[in-house]
């Protein structure tokens, strides 16, 4: 038992109960004041209608007029004044004031149907009460307010004290009723909370976990409001219900404007959980942000970028944005371009390149790899190779890199050259003449040097630029083979996906101990 009262949930429940009891007490106080005010008005009206001797009412009373410094009676004024009626009005008003606390010191005089109120009252509220009562009598033309508001501390304090004392007595008498109202509210709220925890029931009603949770919480709130209405109705505070509902509506509108973005994200979360455009571990691009899906929360979609960083995108942007899902269709095509010499046959080059890429394990046989001629450049013909891979088993970037390498080597091995761009330069006549003289001088110098060199150097100079290029290519290939014989060469040529990134994603998903992921594999997808 001690552990229960020391737990945070028990303390929180106790605070809520105390707050509710205070609310019910205030509501009962308001309802008691309203009832007392109605009773006072009813007694005053009864006295006005029946008179001091209990005689029958002379006529129906007019509706009370709006009171200012001088009250006004909207009844018709008689043509012939009657002093006898003036005396009756004065006696009637004086008798009423003598029965009401705080109005006994008011002096009443009536002439020609005009009621003059003099004397003293403790405050403005008592003065307005006197004016209101005098104005309600028939045959009263108007009320002249000459009352002096003393604002005496003792009178006002005693009046307030008597009022608080009366409220205290009423509250003490109403304690059993307040306890019953409190127990009724607690029973209804507990039943709503118990019903909201029936997760299997809500999951049977809707397969979406987010919608099921929202429905359960809605039922819980409805039962709390129902319990509060029943409790207020039991203590006779029905008028407070309308006030609370009206205030809640105004407060709800203000809060709605203040947390517009939060509400927008929450609604977007609801729609995304229903539509399920992606699942955990899906490779997606959302508004140019690429990564692996970790989870969907009530506020944001969490991605793991390809660099291993966590990325949070507000759900409102995700719902309205462009989503590219690579995982939903694992077959993905990649392309690359290579240029061959303009003198080579492009179709032969296409066959050589396709034969090379089709030997790669990660290139799919269906759909079949193809290549096309895109355009003819100044010094080469551009070929575009297109092939498909299963990106669930193959890293897209690695596969494209390896395919480019193999195609390039295959073309070069078959004698196709991959020329560099050729640029044509134009010079003016003076510069051309200077270059010609420089060329002649360079040729004479080269001839004299050739006569002094050995036969080995002579044979090297006789080699053309194409022969030098071929020798450099053979040296580069030999160097590449030597490097790729190392122990880590297989990792360079391995096109499988990076396992480290998926390990980080699985770790992020496993750390979600609070179960806030709104993605569900059992839900229907778009």
């Amino acid at each position: 038992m001690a552990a229960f009262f020391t737990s945070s949930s028990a303390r929180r429940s106790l605070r809520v109960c105390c707050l509710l009891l205070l609310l019910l007490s205030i509501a009962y106080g308001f309802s008691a004041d309203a009832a007392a005010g109605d009773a006072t008005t009813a007694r005053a009206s009864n006295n006005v209608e029946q008179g001091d001797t209990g005689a029958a009412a002379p006529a129906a009373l007019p509706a009370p007029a709006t009171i200012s410094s001088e009250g006004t009676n909207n009844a018709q004024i008689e043509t012939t004044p009657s002093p006898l009626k003036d005396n009756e009005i004065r006696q009637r008003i004086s008798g009423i004031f003598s029965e009401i606390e705080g109005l006994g010191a008011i002096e009443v005089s009536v002439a020609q149907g005009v009621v003059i109120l003099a004397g003293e009252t403790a405050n403005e509220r008592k003065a307005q009460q006197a004016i209101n009562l005098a104005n309600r009598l028939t045959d009263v033309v108007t009320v002249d307010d000459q009352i002096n508001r003393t604002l005496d501390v003792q009178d006002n304090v005693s009046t307030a004290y008597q009022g608080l004392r009366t409220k205290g007595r009423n509250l003490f008498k109403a304690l059993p009723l307040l306890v019953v109202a409190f127990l009724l509210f607690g029973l209804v709220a507990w039943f709503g909370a118990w019903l909201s925890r029936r997760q299997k029931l809500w999951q049977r009603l809707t397969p979406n976990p987010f919608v099921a949770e929202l429905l359960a919480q809605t039922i819980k709130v409805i039962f709390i409001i129902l319990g509060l209405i029943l409790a207020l109705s039991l203590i006779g505070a029905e008028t407070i219900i309308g006030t609370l509902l009206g205030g809640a509506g105004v407060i709800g509108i203000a809060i709605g404007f203040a947390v517009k973005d939060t509400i927008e994200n929450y609604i977007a979360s609801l729609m995304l959980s229903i539509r399920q455009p992606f699942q955990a571990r899906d490779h997606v691009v959302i508004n140019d942000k690429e990564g692996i899906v970790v989870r969907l929360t009530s506020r944001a979609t969490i991605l793991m970028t390809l660099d291993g960083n966590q990325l949070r995108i507000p759900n409102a942007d995700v719902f309205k944005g462009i989503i590219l899902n690579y995982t939903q269709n694992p077959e993905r095509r990649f392309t690359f371009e290579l240029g061959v010499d303009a003198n080579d046959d492009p179709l032969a080059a296409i066959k050589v390149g396709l034969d090379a890429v089709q030997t790669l394990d990660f290139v799919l046989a269906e759909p079949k790899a193809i290549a096309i001629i895109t355009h003819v450049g100044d010094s080469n013909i551009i070929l575009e190779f297109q092939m498909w891979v299963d990106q669930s088993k193959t890293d897209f970037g690695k596969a494209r890199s390896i395919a480019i390498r193999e195609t390039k080597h295959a073309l070069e091995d078959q004698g196709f050259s991959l020329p560099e761009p050729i640029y044509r330069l134009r010079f003016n006549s003076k510069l051309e003449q200077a270059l010609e003289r420089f060329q002649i001088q360079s040729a004479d110098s080269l001839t004299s040097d050739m006569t002094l060199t050995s036969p080995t150097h002579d044979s090297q100079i006789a080699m053309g630029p194409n022969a030098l290029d071929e020798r450099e290519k053979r040296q580069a290939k030999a160097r590449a083979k030597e490097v790729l014989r190392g122990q880590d060469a297989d990792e360079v040529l391995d096109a499988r996906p990076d396992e480290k990134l998926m390990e980080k994603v699985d770790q992020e998903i496993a750390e979600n101990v609070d179960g806030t992921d709104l993605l569900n594999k059992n839900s229907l997808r778009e």
Side-chain angles (χ1 to χ4, degrees), residues 357-378:
V357 297
Q358 288 174 354
T359 60
L360 300 175
D361 296 336
F362 54 79
V363 175
L364 300 179
E366 292 293 337
K368 191 176 181 180
I370 62 173
I372 58 175
I373 302 172
T374 57
H375 60 276
V376 178
D378 296 334

Side-chain angles (χ1 to χ4, degrees), residues 21-288:
L21 186 59
L22 179 61
L23 177 62
L24 292 176
S25 303
I26 295 173
Y28 181 80
F30 278 119
S31 62
D33 288 344
D38 293 340
T40 303
T41 304
R43 288 195 300 269
S45 299
N46 189 38
N47 291 335
V48 171
E49 291 174 357
Q50 295 180 2
D52 291 336
T53 62
L61 294 178
T66 303
I67 302 300
S68 60
S69 62
E70 291 186 358
T72 302
N73 197 322
N74 293 327
Q76 293 182 353
I77 302 175
E78 292 183 352
T79 304
T80 303
S82 174
L84 181 61
K85 285 188 176 181
D86 290 345
N87 187 39
E88 291 177 352
I89 293 173
R90 182 187 62 77
Q91 292 179 357
R92 186 77 184 97
I93 295 176
S94 297
I96 294 173
F97 286 176
S98 65
E99 296 295 330
I100 300 176
E101 183 181 358
L103 303 183
I106 297 178
E107 301 174 358
V108 183
S109 60
V110 183
Q112 301 291 327
V114 177
V115 178
I116 302 173
L117 301 180
E120 297 178 348
T121 59
N123 48 50
E124 178 67 22
R125 185 174 62 85
K126 285 295 182 180
Q128 290 296 336
Q129 184 182 10
I131 296 171
N132 187 22
L133 289 173
N135 191 57
R136 294 182 61 186
L137 267 71
T138 58
D139 300 327
V140 172
V141 176
T142 186
V143 178
D144 185 9
D145 179 15
Q146 298 181 9
I147 302 173
N148 180 27
R149 284 76 165 170
T150 62
L151 301 179
D152 184 68
V153 175
Q154 182 178 357
D155 293 340
N156 284 279
V157 170
S158 62
T159 304
Y161 172 74
Q162 292 296 332
L164 291 176
R165 187 176 179 181
T166 302
K167 289 182 180 180
R169 286 198 301 265
N170 294 335
L171 182 60
F172 181 77
K173 293 178 182 179
L175 278 179
L177 187 61
L178 291 175
V179 172
V180 173
F182 173 73
L183 292 177
L184 178 61
F185 170 80
L187 181 62
V188 175
W190 172 84
F191 179 75
W194 176 85
L195 189 61
S196 66
R197 290 194 296 268
R198 305 301 98 187
Q199 297 181 358
K200 294 183 179 179
L201 172 63
W202 307 118
Q203 290 175 0
R204 280 198 300 268
L205 293 176
T206 172
N208 189 285
F210 185 58
V211 177
E213 179 66 20
L214 179 62
L215 185 59
Q217 294 300 323
T218 302
I219 294 296
K220 182 178 180 180
V221 172
I222 289 175
F223 271 87
I224 291 176
I225 296 176
L226 179 60
L228 184 59
I229 292 175
L230 292 177
L232 292 175
S233 300
L234 184 63
I235 63 175
E238 291 86 352
T239 55
I240 305 298
I241 298 175
T243 304
L244 291 177
L245 293 178
V250 174
I251 294 174
I253 294 174
I255 293 176
F257 281 106
V259 295
K260 179 176 67 68
D261 295 336
T262 303
I263 295 175
E264 185 180 9
N265 281 326
Y266 191 83
I267 295 176
S269 304
L270 175 62
M271 299 303 297
L272 288 173
S273 65
I274 295 175
R275 295 171 57 184
Q276 298 282 328
F278 43 74
Q279 292 287 347
R281 301 179 181 84
D282 280 3
H283 184 185
V284 298
V285 178
I286 304 174
N287 294 335
D288 299 330

